[in-house]
Amino acid sequence: MLTIKTFVFNPLLVNCYVIHNHKEAIIVDPSCYDENEQLQLKQYIEQQQLEVKHIICTHFHFDHLMGAAFTCSTWNLPLSAHKDYVFLAGNFDISTQSMYFGFSVKNPPKPKVLLQDNDTIQLHHYTFNILHTPGHSLCSISIYEKETGIVITGDTLFEGGVGRTDLAGGDWQQLLHSIRTKLLTLPEETIVYPGHGGQTTIKQEKLYNTFLG
Ligand SMILES: [Zn+2]
Ligand SMILES: [Zn+2]
């Protein structure tokens, strides 16, 4: 069975997910900001005796990467991100982004594992499909695991909401297109784990998400 541990980190309340099975783990959105949050993440991994295999960011926004430098160095792993992150990274790196919002965040290591649509990531016998879902950011991905019926949607789809599109690389039409073609087409019982806020299902969002009507 796949275990999904949710941490809500930093003042912007980002969901950081530790997904694990048979002592192998994936960390999604390493967003721990202060020492206390870093410790929470570290203690959990240690107590569960997990071997971290992948550190993935759903998109290249500073709030989702506040703890990336710490996480990648602690577990000695590269950062995985969608390949189009480079279009945001130039003059608008994570540290610069964070300053605009009044935070001080260390730049993460340059992503060495570049993901694209249809890539798969293996965790023990579970296969995670990378879905490129641009719109909130051009490098936004969702991460789908079919057998368990879960999808991690970053800031693309929320419970009753969708991601903002007014930041660099955002595009409203593209966002709606991504959600309609890549997410709402998943089985209705699929549980959605968004980048902020609580869980939902594809069915619930099809029925009640007023942004998608
Ligand atoms: Zn974002
Ligand atoms: Zn966010």
Side-chain angles (χ1 to χ4, degrees), residues 117-128:
D117 198 37
N118 285 322
D119 276 356
T120 57
I121 288 173
Q122 210 62 33
L123 183 76
H124 207 71
H125 83 273
Y126 290 94
T127 305
F128 292 80

Side-chain angles (χ1 to χ4, degrees), residues 25-90:
I26 298 173
I27 299 175
V28 179
D29 287 344
S31 45
C32 41
Y33 186 43
D34 58 22
E35 270 180 35
N36 174 45
E37 291 178 345
Q38 293 171 352
L39 195 64
Q40 281 180 49
L41 181 63
K42 196 162 178 272
Q43 278 178 344
Y44 183 79
I45 302 277
E46 285 171 2
Q47 279 160 6
Q48 300 286 324
Q49 299 173 300
L50 302 177
E51 185 191 349
V52 181
K53 293 280 190 183
H54 306 278
I55 300 169
I56 308 174
C57 79
T58 57
H59 61 297
F60 223 63
H61 281 165
F62 77 98
D63 52 329
H64 295 254
L65 288 164
M66 281 185 167
F70 164 82
T71 308
C72 292
S73 72
T74 300
W75 287 285
N76 195 23
L77 282 171
L79 183 63
S80 305
H82 187 269
K83 63 180 178 64
D84 289 349
Y85 93 91
V86 287
F87 297 113
L88 280 180

Side-chain angles (χ1 to χ4, degrees), residues 59-61 88 132-140 164 168-170 174:
H59 61 297
F60 223 63
H61 281 165
L88 280 180
H132 186 211
T133 47
H136 170 69
S137 167
L138 34 79
C139 61
S140 287
R164 60 193 281 188
Q174 198 178 39

Side-chain angles (χ1 to χ4, degrees), residues 82-201:
H82 187 269
K83 63 180 178 64
D84 289 349
Y85 93 91
V86 287
F87 297 113
L88 280 180
N91 294 324
F92 208 51
D93 62 28
I94 295 302
S95 186
T96 311
Q97 282 183 35
S98 74
M99 271 163 17
Y100 279 107
F101 290 85
F103 292 94
S104 165
V105 176
K106 250 194 199 173
N107 267 322
K110 198 175 160 190
K112 286 221 180 88
V113 181
L114 299 183
L115 302 168
Q116 54 186 320
D117 198 37
N118 285 322
D119 276 356
T120 57
I121 288 173
Q122 210 62 33
L123 183 76
H124 207 71
H125 83 273
Y126 290 94
T127 305
F128 292 80
N129 290 286
I130 302 300
L131 313 173
H132 186 211
T133 47
H136 170 69
S137 167
L138 34 79
C139 61
S140 287
I141 54 167
S142 298
I143 306 168
Y144 176 54
E145 203 289 310
K146 190 177 173 187
E147 192 182 321
T148 318
I150 60 156
V151 65
I152 292 158
T153 55
D155 287 1
T156 299
L157 178 65
F158 302 120
E159 182 187 10
V162 299
R164 60 193 281 188
T165 53
D166 58 325
L167 301 171
D171 183 313
W172 178 248
Q173 288 309 326
Q174 198 178 39
L175 178 75
L176 292 182
H177 182 75
S178 290
I179 294 172
R180 290 193 176 119
T181 58
K182 299 278 182 67
L183 299 177
L184 299 188
T185 49
L186 298 175
E188 289 198 326
E189 62 277 12
T190 305
I191 301 170
V192 175
Y193 289 81
H196 304 262
Q199 294 159 28
T200 180
T201 61

